[in-house]
Amino acid sequence: DVKVTQSSRYLVKRTGEKVFLECVQDMDHENMFWYRQDPGLGLRLIYFSYDVKMKEKGDIPEGYSVSREKKERFSLILESASTNQTSMYLCASSLVGNQETQYFGPGTRLLVL
Amino acid sequence: QQQVKQSPQSLIVQKGGISIINCAYENTAFDYFPWYQQFPGKGPALLIAIRPDVSEKKEGRFTISFNKSAKQFSLHIMDSQPGDSATYFCAASKNQGGKLIFGQGTELSVKP
């Protein structure tokens, strides 16, 4: 059974803190994605990685960075958390290709105070 | 800009009724249109998908209708059940290595 896991389900951080969200997939997928989900805005792509050490900006990369040192692990970093980064963060993975299914983790709900 | 527009934002349907969620897109280069279903506390999961060479795809109670000339596609849930209560996202992609552009989501509630 395919599995994408995220390091935390809930996280509370203070403004200005550095925040790490980790995602691990066990399907040997090449592609990995980070989205944020906000009511009325749907899922918006933050960053995308198609291979180890490769990354590509999505639609809303400002204030975020990513790291992919191993194929199975993709980290999202908030360099200096702000209140407008309070959101649900979803990680996904897929095989390489245009029409491959994306498999999502359960999400991390981040609250920045 | 929002490349995929989804409506309605929320929908309440009686058990046994038909749920209809609509999406419109702008970019004619899109060539793959999936729908994802998300239950509370879970990540989205692929429900059904269509390519633009067909006008309809049916899987059980779920049907996608696709209108290429109008640049619209919709999800129909026949005989809606309380277990269908979830958030539904339409999406679209073009040949960009697997990236999807999602709609805003529709929260469906099916009342018993």
Side-chain angles (χ1 to χ4, degrees), chain A residues 9 37 56 98-99 102, chain B residues 36 38 41 51 94 99:
Chain A
R9 294 301 301 271
Q37 179 177 1
E56 190 173 310
N98 185 38
Q99 299 177 357
Q102 290 191 15
Chain B
Y36 280 75
Q38 182 183 31
R51 292 170 179 79
K94 51 186 177 178
K99 288 192 291 186

Side-chain angles (χ1 to χ4, degrees), chain A residues 9 31 33 35 37-45 48 50 56-59 88 90 94-107, chain B residues 2-3 6 9 29 31-33 36 38 40-46 50-52 87 89 93-105:
Chain A
R9 294 301 301 271
N31 291 346
F33 309 83
Y35 295 91
Q37 179 177 1
D38 300 288
L41 296 177
L43 304 176
R44 292 180 292 166
L45 182 65
F48 161 52
Y50 50 90
E56 190 173 310
K57 291 180 180 179
D59 299 318
M88 170 69 84
L90 289 162
S94 75
L95 291 169
V96 70
N98 185 38
Q99 299 177 357
E100 295 294 336
T101 300
Q102 290 191 15
Y103 295 89
F104 284 83
Chain B
Q2 189 69 41
Q3 295 192 57
Q6 183 173 346
Q9 190 168 345
D31 60 1
Y32 176 62
F33 302 89
Y36 280 75
Q38 182 183 31
K42 304 286 187 183
L46 179 67
I50 197 168
R51 292 170 179 79
T87 299
F89 294 97
S93 76
K94 51 186 177 178
N95 191 13
Q96 283 190 307
K99 288 192 291 186
L100 290 172
I101 297 168
F102 284 90
Q104 296 92 327

Side-chain angles (χ1 to χ4, degrees), chain A residues 16-111:
Chain A
E17 280 193 76
K18 191 168 186 176
V19 181
F20 293 87
L21 303 182
E22 295 214 316
C23 174
V24 179
Q25 51 96 2
D26 66 358
M27 297 165 281
D28 202 33
H29 284 169
E30 294 86 0
N31 291 346
M32 295 189 76
F33 309 83
W34 274 107
Y35 295 91
R36 63 177 283 176
Q37 179 177 1
D38 300 288
L41 296 177
L43 304 176
R44 292 180 292 166
L45 182 65
I46 304 172
Y47 266 99
F48 161 52
S49 170
Y50 50 90
D51 201 352
V52 175
K53 296 191 185 295
M54 305 303 287
K55 61 185 179 184
E56 190 173 310
K57 291 180 180 179
D59 299 318
I60 51 165
E62 297 78 18
Y64 303 94
S65 62
V66 291
S67 172
R68 192 164 180 204
E69 297 295 320
K70 293 184 177 181
K71 188 176 185 180
E72 68 271 17
R73 189 178 298 268
F74 192 34
S75 300
L76 180 69
I77 303 155
L78 287 66
E79 296 289 344
S80 177
S82 63
T83 54
N84 62 13
Q85 292 178 309
T86 291
S87 186
M88 170 69 84
Y89 290 88
L90 289 162
C91 174
S93 72
S94 75
L95 291 169
V96 70
N98 185 38
Q99 299 177 357
E100 295 294 336
T101 300
Q102 290 191 15
Y103 295 89
F104 284 83
T108 295
R109 187 165 293 282
L110 172 67
L111 173 63

